Amino acid sequence: MPIQISFELSDSDLDHFRSLMKAAMEKAIEYPPAEVLKKARAVCAEMEQANLPDFVIHRMESLETLISALEDPEWQMPEDEKNEILTSLAYFSEPEDLVPDNIPGLGYVDDAIMIELVIQELSQDLAAYKQFCQFRITEENRRGAEANVNRDSWLSSKRTELRSQMRRGRNTAGSRRLFSRIM
């Protein structure tokens, strides 16, 4: 019979995890980016083979998405964003983590917390990349495999969408003002 256990991390608990992350980030300078990515991918592969709780699986999927964003040539991520994500992945480059991964059910709790901290820090990057991936799928379905979809085309589409929303908003507001003057 499964049981559910909930816990809340206090500000001091989070500070502790952030200090561990900071130490890993400082140590990550020693590793080339390819090695950080390789080790982060290895952690994901190892986690996929483990019997993980759902809360860890969901966070691992977000970690994999961040790694994919780094490796996606069509996303054309600026260097400063790449460095920020690589630095955030540094914790997963260290073989020794807070809770040994081989402890059933609990071994990946610290990894899940670290992933959550990374996700919170990079949530906008993660959301943008997911939107880009959806845009790419839509464009490839619409125009075929030869569709040239990259970050610039996605941003251009987003700008067009935003302008259209603004025009509709002005037109609706203008119509209401005009209608209220007539009445």
Side-chain angles (χ1 to χ4, degrees):
M1 172 172 80
I3 63 170
Q4 180 176 353
I5 300 171
S6 298
F7 62 94
E8 183 175 309
L9 297 175
S10 68
D11 287 337
S12 64
D13 295 331
L14 290 172
D15 287 343
H16 174 70
F17 278 98
R18 286 186 183 106
S19 71
L20 292 173
M21 179 65 81
K22 184 178 179 190
M25 289 172 157
E26 290 168 356
K27 194 169 184 181
I29 295 169
E30 302 169 13
Y31 300 118
E35 189 171 341
V36 172
L37 279 173
K38 180 182 173 185
K39 289 183 177 192
R41 281 251 180 243
V43 167
C44 290
E46 183 181 309
M47 291 170 93
E48 285 175 2
Q49 299 303 313
N51 184 18
L52 300 175
D54 287 342
F55 74 92
V56 177
I57 291 170
H58 296 304
R59 281 151 185 88
M60 183 192 68
E61 290 167 353
S62 293
L63 180 65
E64 288 175 329
T65 302
L66 283 173
I67 294 168
S68 295
L70 280 171
E71 297 176 330
D72 189 337
E74 294 170 345
W75 180 230
Q76 302 164 323
M77 186 180 292
E79 282 303 311
D80 60 329
E81 289 179 27
K82 281 183 184 178
N83 291 334
E84 187 176 357
I85 292 173
L86 280 167
T87 304
S88 297
L89 294 175
Y91 179 80
F92 307 101
S93 298
E94 289 299 313
E96 300 295 321
D97 54 10
L98 198 58
V99 180
D101 294 340
N102 62 353
I103 298 175
L106 299 175
Y108 290 100
V109 170
D110 61 320
D111 298 288
I113 292 168
M114 290 304 203
I115 294 169
E116 184 64 29
L117 291 173
V118 168
I119 292 168
Q120 286 181 6
E121 183 70 27
L122 302 171
S123 62
Q124 292 178 347
D125 299 279
L126 188 61
Y129 181 67
K130 286 179 179 179
Q131 288 177 12
F132 168 74
C133 288
Q134 189 59 48
F135 172 78
R136 177 171 41 198
I137 290 167
T138 302
E139 287 301 299
E140 288 172 354
N141 286 339
R142 192 170 64 89
R143 296 190 295 170
E146 69 279 348
N148 184 19
V149 180
N150 57 33
R151 188 179 182 120
D152 290 338
S153 63
W154 173 71
L155 287 171
S156 176
S157 170
K158 290 306 242 179
R159 280 192 288 277
T160 301
E161 182 182 318
L162 182 58
R163 282 189 211 108
S164 177
Q165 288 174 354
M166 289 169 53
R167 274 194 299 279
R168 280 194 307 269
R170 277 196 304 266
N171 290 342
T172 303
S175 299
R176 277 186 262 159
R177 283 194 301 269
L178 178 62
F179 182 74
S180 65
R181 282 190 230 151
I182 295 172
M183 300 310 274

